[in-house]
Amino acid sequence: QKETVRLSSGRGSSPPSNSWLAVSPAATYHCPGGLAATTYNFVIDPATPRGTYHLVISEQPDTRFRVKVLTRVREFDPPGEIPIEMNAMLAEEIEFLGYDVDLTPRQPGDVIDITAYWRALRTMGRPYISSIHLLDNAMTMWGQSDNYLGGTYPHLLWAPGEYVKEVYSLTIAPDAPPGLHSIEFGVYHQVVGEYFFLPVTTVDSPEPAKHIVLGQVRVLDPEHTKPPDHTLSVELGK
C-alpha cells in the first residue's frame, strides 16, 4: 500500500505556502517485535526559515504531526586544528579525523567531555550508534555513553566529503574504583538484538579493530580527598 508523505508549512485546510515530497525511495528497517520503521528524507530549499512545520501522510489526511526544521550550513573545509589526530577509517564510510579530551584526574560521578571530528566518505543508509566505554585494567566497565551518530544532525544526512564536529559526554560511575581507566570508542549498528561494530583501521594499524583507545584517565579515591574526621590545630617546627 503506497502512501505519500509530505512536509508542509501550511496550516489547517489552507493551501501550503511551501511543500516538499519525500525523496524516493524511503528506507525501511525491521525492528524487534515485528515492527518496522521507515525513514523519509526531505530536500528543503536552503532559504527555508527554521521553525515548526507539519508532516502530512496521505493515509491520515486529518492528522498533522508537528516537525521542527533546523537549518545548518554544511562544512566542506577541514577543521583548522585537531588536538589529537587519528585519521582512522570506519568501514570505508566515515573517517575519524581525531578528537579532544581532558584526561586530568577525576572523581567518581564526574563527566568527561569528548569532542570528535568526522569526515563522511559516502552517503550512509544504515543507522549507526557511537559508543564510549570507561574500563579498568580488568576490562570491567565503569561508564558508558551510547548516542546516535550525529545526534540532532544524524549521519544519514551527511554528504560525502562533509566535516562534522560532535561532542559526547561520558559519566564516571559513582562507585568506580580508584586507578587508571581506559576510554574506548567505537561505532556499531544493531540488527535483531545483535551488535556489529564497524571495523576500524589506521595507517599504523591496518588490521581491523572494534574500538579506538582515546587515552587513560585516573579516577581518584574520594576517601583521600575528603577532610579528616577529627581536625587539630597544631603547628609543627616552630
Side-chain angles (χ1 to χ4, degrees):
Q1 184 176 4
K2 185 175 177 59
E3 61 183 6
T4 301
V5 178
R6 177 167 51 87
L7 188 65
S8 171
S9 61
R11 298 190 177 188
S13 58
S14 61
S17 57
N18 287 300
S19 182
W20 304 272
L21 290 177
V23 178
S24 182
T28 300
Y29 308 97
H30 296 286
C31 306
L35 300 176
T38 302
T39 299
Y40 296 93
N41 292 307
F42 297 88
V43 178
I44 301 175
D45 189 290
T48 301
R50 65 172 61 196
T52 301
Y53 292 75
H54 297 93
L55 188 66
V56 183
I57 302 176
S58 60
E59 299 300 322
Q60 306 172 38
D62 297 330
T63 304
R64 291 172 175 264
F65 302 95
R66 292 165 59 90
V67 177
K68 278 192 174 296
V69 174
L70 303 178
T71 55
R72 177 190 178 99
V73 178
R74 295 184 188 271
E75 184 59 68
F76 291 97
D77 293 326
E81 181 179 353
I82 300 176
I84 304 175
E85 295 187 1
M86 283 291 298
N87 299 113
M89 307 291 261
L90 282 76
E92 302 297 328
E93 292 194 351
I94 44 179
E95 183 179 5
F96 183 57
L97 300 173
Y99 62 97
D100 186 19
V101 59
D102 183 1
L103 297 177
T104 56
R106 307 297 178 92
Q107 293 283 354
D110 285 352
V111 176
I112 303 173
D113 289 329
I114 300 166
T115 301
Y117 298 85
W118 298 100
R119 183 169 72 95
L121 302 178
R122 53 176 293 184
T123 300
M124 292 168 275
R126 176 181 290 170
Y128 291 139
I129 298 174
S130 63
S131 183
I132 308 174
H133 297 159
L134 185 69
L135 306 172
D136 63 13
N137 57 3
M139 301 303 290
T140 302
M141 187 167 61
W142 297 100
Q144 180 178 2
S145 177
D146 287 12
N147 305 275
Y148 282 104
L149 187 62
T152 57
Y153 181 43
H155 65 282
L156 297 173
L157 303 180
W158 296 0
E162 181 178 1
Y163 292 89
V164 178
K165 183 174 74 171
E166 191 172 22
V167 179
Y168 311 104
S169 295
L170 175 65
T171 301
I172 303 173
D175 56 344
L180 280 177
H181 292 64
S182 298
I183 302 175
E184 282 193 352
F185 179 77
V187 176
Y188 68 87
H189 64 95
Q190 185 178 4
V191 180
V192 195
E194 293 189 60
Y195 302 91
F196 300 91
F197 278 86
L198 300 187
V200 181
T201 58
T202 63
V203 175
D204 298 330
S205 301
E207 285 297 319
K210 290 184 178 180
H211 303 94
I212 303 170
V213 178
L214 303 185
Q216 290 185 314
V217 61
R218 180 172 296 280
V219 177
L220 302 174
D221 187 349
E223 295 295 325
H224 291 173
T225 57
K226 71 175 186 178
D229 295 331
H230 305 284
T231 58
L232 295 174
S233 296
V234 177
E235 296 184 9
L236 302 177
K238 193 170 182 178

